[in-house]
Amino acid sequence: MNHNRVVCFDLEMCCWNEDGVGTTGEIIEIGLAEIDLGRQEVVKRAQYYVKPVNDDISKFCVELTGITPRIVEKQGRPLEAVIKTMIKNFGGANKIYAAWGRDDLILKEECEQKGIDFPIKEFVNLATLFRIQNRMKDKRIGHKQAQESKNIEWEGRQHSGFVDAYNLAKLALTML
C-alpha cells in the first residue's frame, strides 16, 4: 500500500429530474486525480467515459454534466474495461482512494451488479473528514462550498468527474 499517494475520484451517473425529484442510474464518467502527499501536488489525472448498459443519458443529465450521448458513444467503454484501465494507470488496490461522499459504495454496487471485481481496498470519505476537522456536527456541506471556505479557487465546470476529481485533489492536499 502506497500511503504517500491518494487517488481522488468522482463519478457522474445517468440522472433525471422529474417533478423536482432527482434520481440516478448507471455510471457514465469516472474522473481521477492522484496526489503525492510528500510533494504536495497533483501528479496524475484521467477521465474515463463509461457506456451505460440499461440507462439513457437524459436532457437534464446533459445540462447538468455536459456529457452527451454522442460523447459516451464515441469515447465510452464498458465499465469493466474502464476499471481495468483504472487499475493499470492508478494502481488499483495498491492505492488509497478518496471521494466527497460515498462514491465507493456506488461504484461497488455497480461492479457487483455487472460481475466486476471491485478495485478499491482502502477508502477515505473526505466529506466526513472535512466535517470532523471543522467541527461541523450534523451540518452537511457540498464539495465546492467546502473548497471555497478554505479559499481554494474552484476551477472548471462543476459536475464533470474530471474537473470535480481535480478540485477534490486540491482540497485533499490541505486536509491530509
Side-chain angles (χ1 to χ4, degrees), residues 5-10 31-37 40-46 90 98-100 126 143 147 152-155 161-176:
R5 298 280 183 108
V6 176
V7 179
C8 297
F9 74 101
D10 184 73
L32 302 110
E34 185 172 336
I35 57 176
D36 183 313
L37 296 174
Q40 283 290 293
E41 65 183 9
V42 178
V43 294
K44 189 186 305 186
R45 295 175 69 186
F90 286 88
W100 192 265
L126 293 172
H143 168 201
Q147 184 164 319
I152 302 168
E153 182 181 348
W154 186 272
E155 296 179 48
F162 184 69
V163 169
D164 290 356
Y166 175 68
N167 281 296
L168 185 58
K170 294 189 320 180
L171 179 61
L173 284 169
T174 70
M175 296 172 62
L176 302 174

Side-chain angles (χ1 to χ4, degrees), residues 108-145:
K108 182 177 184 178
E109 183 178 334
E110 191 162 328
C111 283
E112 287 173 355
Q113 290 171 352
K114 294 179 177 176
I116 302 166
D117 289 335
F118 181 61
I120 298 172
K121 300 297 180 229
E122 288 207 35
F123 176 78
V124 177
N125 179 344
L126 293 172
T128 298
L129 182 59
F130 186 88
R131 287 196 329 266
I132 291 167
Q133 289 177 342
N134 293 278
R135 294 172 176 53
M136 299 175 74
K137 294 189 183 181
D138 293 328
K139 183 180 178 194
R140 295 199 177 272
I141 185 171
H143 168 201
K144 186 174 182 181
Q145 184 182 0

